[in-house]
mmCIF file of all heavy atoms in Angstrom:
data_model
loop_
_atom_site.group_PDB
_atom_site.id
_atom_site.type_symbol
_atom_site.label_atom_id
_atom_site.label_comp_id
_atom_site.label_asym_id
_atom_site.label_seq_id
_atom_site.Cartn_x
_atom_site.Cartn_y
_atom_site.Cartn_z
ATOM 1 N N VAL A 238 0.379 3.871 9.173
ATOM 2 C CA VAL A 238 -0.405 5.080 9.309
ATOM 3 C C VAL A 238 -1.350 5.197 8.125
ATOM 4 O O VAL A 238 -0.894 5.222 6.977
ATOM 5 C CB VAL A 238 0.483 6.353 9.375
ATOM 6 C CG1 VAL A 238 -0.383 7.581 9.602
ATOM 7 C CG2 VAL A 238 1.547 6.228 10.435
ATOM 8 N N ASP A 239 -2.630 5.257 8.395
ATOM 9 C CA ASP A 239 -3.626 5.465 7.338
ATOM 10 C C ASP A 239 -4.124 6.901 7.421
ATOM 11 O O ASP A 239 -4.969 7.225 8.244
ATOM 12 C CB ASP A 239 -4.798 4.492 7.487
ATOM 13 C CG ASP A 239 -5.823 4.642 6.372
ATOM 14 O OD1 ASP A 239 -5.579 5.428 5.427
ATOM 15 O OD2 ASP A 239 -6.873 3.966 6.433
ATOM 16 N N ALA A 240 -3.594 7.759 6.555
ATOM 17 C CA ALA A 240 -3.956 9.181 6.608
ATOM 18 C C ALA A 240 -5.388 9.443 6.177
ATOM 19 O O ALA A 240 -5.925 10.518 6.462
ATOM 20 C CB ALA A 240 -2.993 9.994 5.733
ATOM 21 N N THR A 241 -6.053 8.459 5.531
ATOM 22 C CA THR A 241 -7.465 8.658 5.182
ATOM 23 C C THR A 241 -8.347 8.572 6.428
ATOM 24 O O THR A 241 -9.484 9.024 6.406
ATOM 25 C CB THR A 241 -7.952 7.601 4.172
ATOM 26 O OG1 THR A 241 -8.036 6.306 4.804
ATOM 27 C CG2 THR A 241 -7.044 7.524 2.958
ATOM 28 N N GLY A 242 -7.831 7.955 7.476
ATOM 29 C CA GLY A 242 -8.622 7.785 8.700
ATOM 30 C C GLY A 242 -9.599 6.631 8.650
ATOM 31 O O GLY A 242 -10.356 6.419 9.608
ATOM 32 N N MET A 243 -9.584 5.850 7.578
ATOM 33 C CA MET A 243 -10.553 4.759 7.447
ATOM 34 C C MET A 243 -10.152 3.507 8.226
ATOM 35 O O MET A 243 -10.996 2.661 8.529
ATOM 36 C CB MET A 243 -10.774 4.426 5.973
ATOM 37 C CG MET A 243 -11.566 5.488 5.223
ATOM 38 S SD MET A 243 -12.127 4.980 3.577
ATOM 39 C CE MET A 243 -10.616 5.087 2.637
ATOM 40 N N ALA A 244 -8.864 3.337 8.503
ATOM 41 C CA ALA A 244 -8.425 2.124 9.184
ATOM 42 C C ALA A 244 -7.403 2.457 10.274
ATOM 43 O O ALA A 244 -6.608 3.381 10.124
ATOM 44 C CB ALA A 244 -7.818 1.140 8.186
ATOM 45 N N CYS A 245 -7.439 1.695 11.356
ATOM 46 C CA CYS A 245 -6.473 1.832 12.431
ATOM 47 C C CYS A 245 -5.371 0.793 12.246
ATOM 48 O O CYS A 245 -5.583 -0.267 11.654
ATOM 49 C CB CYS A 245 -7.142 1.645 13.788
ATOM 50 S SG CYS A 245 -8.406 2.888 14.142
ATOM 51 N N ALA A 246 -4.205 1.085 12.799
ATOM 52 C CA ALA A 246 -3.051 0.196 12.622
ATOM 53 C C ALA A 246 -3.313 -1.218 13.118
ATOM 54 O O ALA A 246 -2.748 -2.183 12.585
ATOM 55 C CB ALA A 246 -1.834 0.786 13.307
ATOM 56 N N ASP A 247 -4.159 -1.365 14.135
ATOM 57 C CA ASP A 247 -4.385 -2.685 14.719
ATOM 58 C C ASP A 247 -5.395 -3.531 13.943
ATOM 59 O O ASP A 247 -5.713 -4.635 14.361
ATOM 60 C CB ASP A 247 -4.818 -2.563 16.185
ATOM 61 C CG ASP A 247 -6.105 -1.765 16.345
ATOM 62 O OD1 ASP A 247 -6.568 -1.144 15.370
ATOM 63 O OD2 ASP A 247 -6.664 -1.755 17.474
ATOM 64 N N GLU A 248 -5.876 -3.023 12.795
ATOM 65 C CA GLU A 248 -6.810 -3.811 11.982
ATOM 66 C C GLU A 248 -6.427 -3.790 10.492
ATOM 67 O O GLU A 248 -7.280 -4.014 9.635
ATOM 68 C CB GLU A 248 -8.245 -3.309 12.180
ATOM 69 C CG GLU A 248 -8.452 -1.845 11.853
ATOM 70 C CD GLU A 248 -9.876 -1.386 12.118
ATOM 71 O OE1 GLU A 248 -10.668 -2.162 12.709
ATOM 72 O OE2 GLU A 248 -10.216 -0.255 11.724
ATOM 73 N N ILE A 249 -5.171 -3.534 10.218
ATOM 74 C CA ILE A 249 -4.671 -3.514 8.839
ATOM 75 C C ILE A 249 -3.850 -4.767 8.587
ATOM 76 O O ILE A 249 -2.962 -5.108 9.378
ATOM 77 C CB ILE A 249 -3.793 -2.261 8.596
ATOM 78 C CG1 ILE A 249 -4.641 -0.988 8.678
ATOM 79 C CG2 ILE A 249 -3.094 -2.346 7.243
ATOM 80 C CD1 ILE A 249 -3.835 0.291 8.598
#
Side-chain angles (χ1 to χ4, degrees):
V238 184
D239 182 5
T241 70
M243 289 192 284
C245 297
D247 60 350
E248 57 182 8
I249 294 173

